[in-house]
CSV table of all heavy atoms in Angstrom, one decimal:
chain,number,residue,atom,x,y,z
A,13,ASN,N,15.5,31.2,4.3
A,13,ASN,CA,16.2,32.4,4.7
A,13,ASN,C,16.6,32.3,6.2
A,13,ASN,O,16.9,33.3,6.8
A,13,ASN,CB,15.3,33.7,4.5
A,13,ASN,CG,13.9,33.5,5.1
A,13,ASN,OD1,13.4,32.4,5.1
A,13,ASN,ND2,13.4,34.6,5.6
A,14,ALA,N,16.5,31.1,6.8
A,14,ALA,CA,17.1,31.0,8.2
A,14,ALA,C,17.9,29.7,8.2
A,14,ALA,O,17.9,29.0,7.3
A,14,ALA,CB,15.9,30.8,9.1
A,15,ALA,N,18.6,29.6,9.3
A,15,ALA,CA,19.4,28.3,9.4
A,15,ALA,C,18.6,27.3,10.2
A,15,ALA,O,17.8,27.7,11.0
A,15,ALA,CB,20.7,28.7,10.2
A,16,PRO,N,18.7,26.0,9.9
A,16,PRO,CA,17.9,25.0,10.5
A,16,PRO,C,18.2,25.0,12.0
A,16,PRO,O,19.3,25.1,12.4
A,16,PRO,CB,18.4,23.7,9.9
A,16,PRO,CG,19.5,24.0,8.9
A,16,PRO,CD,19.6,25.5,8.9
A,17,HIS,N,17.1,24.8,12.8
A,17,HIS,CA,17.3,24.6,14.2
A,17,HIS,C,16.5,23.4,14.7
A,17,HIS,O,15.8,22.9,13.9
A,17,HIS,CB,17.0,25.9,15.0
A,17,HIS,CG,15.7,26.5,14.9
A,17,HIS,ND1,14.6,25.8,15.4
A,17,HIS,CD2,15.2,27.6,14.4
A,17,HIS,CE1,13.5,26.5,15.1
A,17,HIS,NE2,13.8,27.6,14.5
A,18,LEU,N,16.6,23.1,16.0
A,18,LEU,CA,15.9,21.9,16.5
A,18,LEU,C,14.4,22.0,16.2
A,18,LEU,O,13.7,20.9,16.1
A,18,LEU,CB,16.1,21.7,17.9
A,18,LEU,CG,17.4,20.9,18.3
A,18,LEU,CD1,17.5,20.6,19.8
A,18,LEU,CD2,17.4,19.5,17.5
A,19,GLY,N,13.8,23.2,16.2
A,19,GLY,CA,12.4,23.3,15.9
A,19,GLY,C,12.0,22.8,14.6
A,19,GLY,O,11.0,22.2,14.4
A,20,HIS,N,12.9,23.0,13.6
A,20,HIS,CA,12.7,22.5,12.2
A,20,HIS,C,12.9,20.9,12.3
A,20,HIS,O,12.1,20.2,11.7
A,20,HIS,CB,13.6,23.1,11.2
A,20,HIS,CG,13.6,24.6,11.1
A,20,HIS,ND1,14.6,25.4,11.4
A,20,HIS,CD2,12.5,25.4,10.8
A,20,HIS,CE1,14.2,26.6,11.2
A,20,HIS,NE2,13.0,26.6,10.8
A,21,ALA,N,13.9,20.5,13.0
A,21,ALA,CA,14.2,19.1,13.0
A,21,ALA,C,13.1,18.3,13.6
A,21,ALA,O,12.9,17.2,13.3
A,21,ALA,CB,15.5,18.9,13.8
A,22,TYR,N,12.4,19.0,14.5
A,22,TYR,CA,11.3,18.3,15.2
A,22,TYR,C,10.2,17.7,14.3
A,22,TYR,O,9.9,16.6,14.3
A,22,TYR,CB,10.7,19.3,16.2
A,22,TYR,CG,9.6,18.7,17.1
A,22,TYR,CD1,9.8,17.7,18.0
A,22,TYR,CD2,8.3,19.3,17.1
A,22,TYR,CE1,8.8,17.2,18.8
A,22,TYR,CE2,7.3,18.9,18.0
A,22,TYR,CZ,7.6,17.8,18.8
A,22,TYR,OH,6.6,17.3,19.6
A,23,SER,N,9.7,18.6,13.3
A,23,SER,CA,8.7,18.0,12.4
A,23,SER,C,9.3,16.9,11.5
A,23,SER,O,8.6,15.9,11.2
A,23,SER,CB,8.3,19.1,11.4
A,23,SER,OG,8.1,20.4,11.9
A,24,THR,N,10.6,17.1,11.2
A,24,THR,CA,11.2,16.1,10.4
A,24,THR,C,11.3,14.8,11.1
A,24,THR,O,11.1,13.7,10.5
A,24,THR,CB,12.7,16.6,10.0
A,24,THR,OG1,12.5,17.9,9.3
A,24,THR,CG2,13.3,15.6,9.0
A,25,ILE,N,11.7,14.8,12.4
A,25,ILE,CA,11.8,13.6,13.2
A,25,ILE,C,10.4,12.9,13.3
A,25,ILE,O,10.3,11.7,13.2
A,25,ILE,CB,12.5,13.9,14.5
A,25,ILE,CG1,13.9,14.4,14.3
A,25,ILE,CG2,12.4,12.7,15.4
A,25,ILE,CD1,14.6,15.0,15.5
A,26,VAL,N,9.4,13.7,13.6
A,26,VAL,CA,8.1,13.1,13.8
A,26,VAL,C,7.7,12.4,12.5
A,26,VAL,O,7.2,11.3,12.5
A,26,VAL,CB,7.0,14.2,14.1
A,26,VAL,CG1,5.6,13.7,14.0
A,26,VAL,CG2,7.3,14.8,15.5
A,27,ALA,N,7.8,13.1,11.4
A,27,ALA,CA,7.5,12.5,10.1
A,27,ALA,C,8.3,11.2,9.8
A,27,ALA,O,7.8,10.2,9.3
A,27,ALA,CB,7.6,13.5,8.9
A,28,ASP,N,9.6,11.3,10.2
A,28,ASP,CA,10.5,10.1,10.0
A,28,ASP,C,10.0,8.9,10.8
A,28,ASP,O,10.1,7.8,10.4
A,28,ASP,CB,11.9,10.5,10.4
A,28,ASP,CG,12.9,9.5,9.9
A,28,ASP,OD1,12.9,9.1,8.7
A,28,ASP,OD2,13.6,8.9,10.8
A,29,VAL,N,9.6,9.2,12.0
A,29,VAL,CA,9.1,8.1,12.9
A,29,VAL,C,7.9,7.3,12.2
A,29,VAL,O,7.9,6.1,12.0
A,29,VAL,CB,8.6,8.6,14.3
A,29,VAL,CG1,7.8,7.5,15.0
A,29,VAL,CG2,9.8,9.0,15.1
A,30,LEU,N,7.0,8.2,11.6
A,30,LEU,CA,5.9,7.5,10.9
A,30,LEU,C,6.4,6.8,9.6
A,30,LEU,O,5.9,5.7,9.3
A,30,LEU,CB,4.9,8.6,10.5
A,30,LEU,CG,4.2,9.3,11.7
A,30,LEU,CD1,3.3,10.5,11.3
A,30,LEU,CD2,3.4,8.3,12.5
A,31,ALA,N,7.3,7.4,8.9
A,31,ALA,CA,7.8,6.8,7.7
A,31,ALA,C,8.4,5.4,8.0
A,31,ALA,O,8.2,4.4,7.3
A,31,ALA,CB,8.8,7.7,7.0
A,32,ARG,N,9.3,5.4,9.0
A,32,ARG,CA,10.0,4.2,9.3
A,32,ARG,C,9.0,3.1,9.8
A,32,ARG,O,9.1,1.9,9.5
A,32,ARG,CB,11.1,4.5,10.4
A,32,ARG,CG,12.3,5.2,9.8
A,32,ARG,CD,13.3,5.5,11.0
A,32,ARG,NE,14.4,6.3,10.5
A,32,ARG,CZ,15.5,5.8,9.9
A,32,ARG,NH1,15.7,4.5,9.7
A,32,ARG,NH2,16.5,6.6,9.5
A,33,HIS,N,8.1,3.6,10.6
A,33,HIS,CA,7.1,2.6,11.1
A,33,HIS,C,6.3,2.0,10.0
A,33,HIS,O,6.1,0.8,9.9
A,33,HIS,CB,6.1,3.3,12.1
A,33,HIS,CG,4.9,2.6,12.5
A,33,HIS,ND1,5.0,1.4,13.3
A,33,HIS,CD2,3.6,2.7,12.1
A,33,HIS,CE1,3.8,0.9,13.4
A,33,HIS,NE2,2.9,1.7,12.7
A,34,HIS,N,5.9,2.8,9.0
A,34,HIS,CA,5.1,2.2,7.9
A,34,HIS,C,6.0,1.4,7.0
A,34,HIS,O,5.4,0.4,6.4
A,34,HIS,CB,4.4,3.4,7.1
A,34,HIS,CG,3.1,3.8,7.8
A,34,HIS,ND1,1.9,3.1,7.5
A,34,HIS,CD2,2.9,4.6,8.8
A,34,HIS,CE1,1.0,3.6,8.3
A,34,HIS,NE2,1.5,4.5,9.1
A,35,ARG,N,7.2,1.6,6.9
A,35,ARG,CA,8.1,0.7,6.1
A,35,ARG,C,8.1,-0.6,6.8
A,35,ARG,O,8.1,-1.7,6.2
A,35,ARG,CB,9.5,1.3,6.0
A,35,ARG,CG,9.6,2.4,5.0
A,35,ARG,CD,11.0,2.8,4.6
A,35,ARG,NE,11.0,4.1,4.1
A,35,ARG,CZ,11.4,5.2,4.7
A,35,ARG,NH1,11.9,5.1,5.9
A,35,ARG,NH2,11.3,6.4,4.1
A,36,GLN,N,8.1,-0.6,8.2
A,36,GLN,CA,8.1,-1.9,8.9
A,36,GLN,C,6.9,-2.6,8.6
A,36,GLN,O,6.8,-3.9,8.7
A,36,GLN,CB,8.2,-1.6,10.4
A,36,GLN,CG,9.6,-1.1,10.9
A,36,GLN,CD,9.6,-1.0,12.4
A,36,GLN,OE1,9.1,0.0,12.9
A,36,GLN,NE2,10.3,-1.9,13.1
A,37,ARG,N,5.8,-1.9,8.4
A,37,ARG,CA,4.5,-2.6,8.1
A,37,ARG,C,4.4,-3.0,6.7
A,37,ARG,O,3.4,-3.6,6.3
A,37,ARG,CB,3.3,-1.6,8.5
A,37,ARG,CG,3.0,-1.7,10.0
A,37,ARG,CD,2.3,-0.5,10.5
A,37,ARG,NE,1.0,-0.3,10.0
A,37,ARG,CZ,0.2,0.6,10.6
A,37,ARG,NH1,0.6,1.4,11.6
A,37,ARG,NH2,-1.0,0.8,10.0
A,38,GLY,N,5.4,-2.8,5.9
A,38,GLY,CA,5.5,-3.2,4.5
A,38,GLY,C,4.8,-2.3,3.6
A,38,GLY,O,4.6,-2.6,2.4
A,39,ASP,N,4.5,-1.1,4.0
A,39,ASP,CA,3.9,-0.1,3.1
A,39,ASP,C,5.0,0.5,2.1
A,39,ASP,O,6.2,0.5,2.5
A,39,ASP,CB,3.3,1.1,3.8
A,39,ASP,CG,2.0,0.6,4.6
A,39,ASP,OD1,1.5,-0.4,4.3
A,39,ASP,OD2,1.7,1.3,5.6
A,40,ASP,N,4.5,0.9,1.0
A,40,ASP,CA,5.4,1.5,0.0
A,40,ASP,C,5.4,3.0,0.4
A,40,ASP,O,4.6,3.8,0.0
A,40,ASP,CB,4.9,1.3,-1.4
A,40,ASP,CG,5.7,2.1,-2.4
A,40,ASP,OD1,6.8,2.5,-2.1
A,40,ASP,OD2,5.2,2.2,-3.6
A,41,VAL,N,6.4,3.4,1.2
A,41,VAL,CA,6.5,4.7,1.8
A,41,VAL,C,7.1,5.8,0.9
A,41,VAL,O,8.2,5.5,0.3
A,41,VAL,CB,7.2,4.7,3.1
A,41,VAL,CG1,7.4,6.1,3.7
A,41,VAL,CG2,6.4,3.8,4.1
A,42,PHE,N,6.5,6.9,0.8
A,42,PHE,CA,7.1,8.1,0.2
A,42,PHE,C,7.1,9.2,1.2
A,42,PHE,O,6.1,9.7,1.6
A,42,PHE,CB,6.4,8.5,-1.1
A,42,PHE,CG,7.0,9.6,-1.8
A,42,PHE,CD1,8.2,9.4,-2.5
A,42,PHE,CD2,6.4,10.9,-1.9
A,42,PHE,CE1,8.9,10.4,-3.2
A,42,PHE,CE2,7.1,11.9,-2.6
A,42,PHE,CZ,8.3,11.7,-3.2
A,43,PHE,N,8.3,9.5,1.7
A,43,PHE,CA,8.5,10.5,2.8
A,43,PHE,C,9.2,11.7,2.1
A,43,PHE,O,10.3,11.7,1.6
A,43,PHE,CB,9.3,9.9,3.9
A,43,PHE,CG,9.8,10.9,4.9
A,43,PHE,CD1,9.3,12.1,5.2
A,43,PHE,CD2,10.9,10.5,5.8
A,43,PHE,CE1,9.7,13.0,6.1
A,43,PHE,CE2,11.4,11.4,6.8
A,43,PHE,CZ,10.8,12.6,6.9
A,44,LEU,N,8.4,12.8,2.2
A,44,LEU,CA,8.8,14.0,1.5
A,44,LEU,C,9.1,15.2,2.4
A,44,LEU,O,8.4,15.5,3.3
A,44,LEU,CB,7.6,14.4,0.5
A,44,LEU,CG,7.8,15.7,-0.3
A,44,LEU,CD1,8.9,15.5,-1.3
A,44,LEU,CD2,6.5,16.0,-1.0
A,45,THR,N,10.2,15.9,2.1
A,45,THR,CA,10.5,17.1,2.8
A,45,THR,C,11.1,18.1,1.8
A,45,THR,O,11.3,17.7,0.7
A,45,THR,CB,11.4,16.9,4.1
A,45,THR,OG1,11.6,18.1,4.8
A,45,THR,CG2,12.8,16.3,3.7
A,46,GLY,N,11.5,19.3,2.2
A,46,GLY,CA,12.1,20.2,1.2
A,46,GLY,C,12.1,21.6,1.7
A,46,GLY,O,12.0,21.9,2.9
A,47,THR,N,12.3,22.5,0.7
A,47,THR,CA,12.4,23.9,1.0
A,47,THR,C,11.4,24.8,0.2
A,47,THR,O,11.2,24.5,-0.9
A,47,THR,CB,13.9,24.4,0.8
A,47,THR,OG1,14.4,23.8,-0.4
A,47,THR,CG2,14.8,24.1,1.9
A,48,ASP,N,11.0,25.8,0.9
A,48,ASP,CA,10.0,26.8,0.4
A,48,ASP,C,10.9,28.0,0.0
A,48,ASP,O,11.4,28.7,0.9
A,48,ASP,CB,9.1,27.1,1.6
A,48,ASP,CG,8.0,28.0,1.2
A,48,ASP,OD1,7.9,28.6,0.1
A,48,ASP,OD2,7.1,28.3,2.1
A,49,GLU,N,11.1,28.2,-1.3
A,49,GLU,CA,12.1,29.1,-1.7
A,49,GLU,C,11.7,30.5,-2.2
A,49,GLU,O,12.5,31.3,-2.5
A,49,GLU,CB,13.0,28.4,-2.7
A,49,GLU,CG,13.6,27.1,-2.1
A,49,GLU,CD,14.7,26.5,-2.9
A,49,GLU,OE1,15.0,26.9,-4.0
A,49,GLU,OE2,15.2,25.5,-2.4
A,50,HIS,N,10.4,30.6,-2.4
A,50,HIS,CA,9.9,31.9,-3.0
A,50,HIS,C,9.5,32.9,-2.0
A,50,HIS,O,9.6,32.6,-0.8
A,50,HIS,CB,8.7,31.6,-4.0
A,50,HIS,CG,9.2,30.9,-5.2
A,50,HIS,ND1,8.6,29.7,-5.7
A,50,HIS,CD2,10.3,31.1,-6.1
A,50,HIS,CE1,9.3,29.3,-6.8
A,50,HIS,NE2,10.3,30.2,-7.0
A,51,GLY,N,9.0,34.1,-2.4
A,51,GLY,CA,8.5,35.0,-1.5
A,51,GLY,C,9.4,36.2,-1.2
A,51,GLY,O,10.6,36.2,-1.5
A,52,GLU,N,8.7,37.2,-0.6
A,52,GLU,CA,9.4,38.4,-0.3
A,52,GLU,C,10.7,38.4,0.5
A,52,GLU,O,11.7,39.0,0.1
A,52,GLU,CB,8.4,39.3,0.5
A,52,GLU,CG,7.9,40.5,-0.2
A,52,GLU,CD,6.7,41.1,0.5
A,52,GLU,OE1,5.8,40.3,0.9
A,52,GLU,OE2,6.7,42.3,0.7
A,53,PRO,N,10.7,37.7,1.6
A,53,PRO,CA,11.9,37.8,2.5
A,53,PRO,C,13.1,37.3,1.7
A,53,PRO,O,14.2,37.9,1.8
A,53,PRO,CB,11.6,36.8,3.6
A,53,PRO,CG,10.1,36.8,3.7
A,53,PRO,CD,9.6,36.9,2.3
A,54,VAL,N,13.0,36.3,0.9
A,54,VAL,CA,14.1,35.8,0.1
A,54,VAL,C,14.6,36.9,-0.9
A,54,VAL,O,15.8,37.2,-1.0
A,54,VAL,CB,13.8,34.5,-0.7
A,54,VAL,CG1,14.8,34.2,-1.7
A,54,VAL,CG2,13.6,33.4,0.3
A,55,ALA,N,13.6,37.5,-1.6
A,55,ALA,CA,13.9,38.5,-2.6
A,55,ALA,C,14.6,39.7,-1.9
A,55,ALA,O,15.6,40.2,-2.4
A,55,ALA,CB,12.6,38.9,-3.3
A,56,ASN,N,14.1,40.0,-0.7
A,56,ASN,CA,14.7,41.2,0.0
A,56,ASN,C,16.2,40.9,0.4
A,56,ASN,O,17.0,41.8,0.2
A,56,ASN,CB,13.9,41.5,1.2
A,56,ASN,CG,12.5,42.1,0.9
A,56,ASN,OD1,12.3,42.5,-0.3
A,56,ASN,ND2,11.6,42.1,1.8
A,57,VAL,N,16.4,39.8,1.0
A,57,VAL,CA,17.8,39.5,1.4
A,57,VAL,C,18.7,39.4,0.2
A,57,VAL,O,19.8,39.9,0.3
A,57,VAL,CB,17.8,38.1,2.2
A,57,VAL,CG1,19.2,37.7,2.6
A,57,VAL,CG2,17.0,38.3,3.5
A,58,ALA,N,18.2,38.8,-0.8
A,58,ALA,CA,19.1,38.7,-2.0
A,58,ALA,C,19.4,40.1,-2.6
A,58,ALA,O,20.6,40.4,-2.9
A,58,ALA,CB,18.4,37.9,-3.1
Side-chain angles (χ1 to χ4, degrees):
N13 52 326
H17 59 66
L18 273 186
H20 301 119
Y22 184 59
S23 317
T24 305
I25 295 167
V26 170
D28 191 56
V29 166
L30 295 173
R32 287 180 185 272
H33 167 71
H34 277 273
R35 286 193 200 103
Q36 288 185 285
R37 276 158 65 171
D39 292 342
D40 175 15
V41 172
F42 185 68
F43 170 19
L44 177 67
T45 185
T47 40
D48 183 354
E49 304 191 353
H50 291 129
E52 243 167 318
V54 168
N56 292 344
V57 172

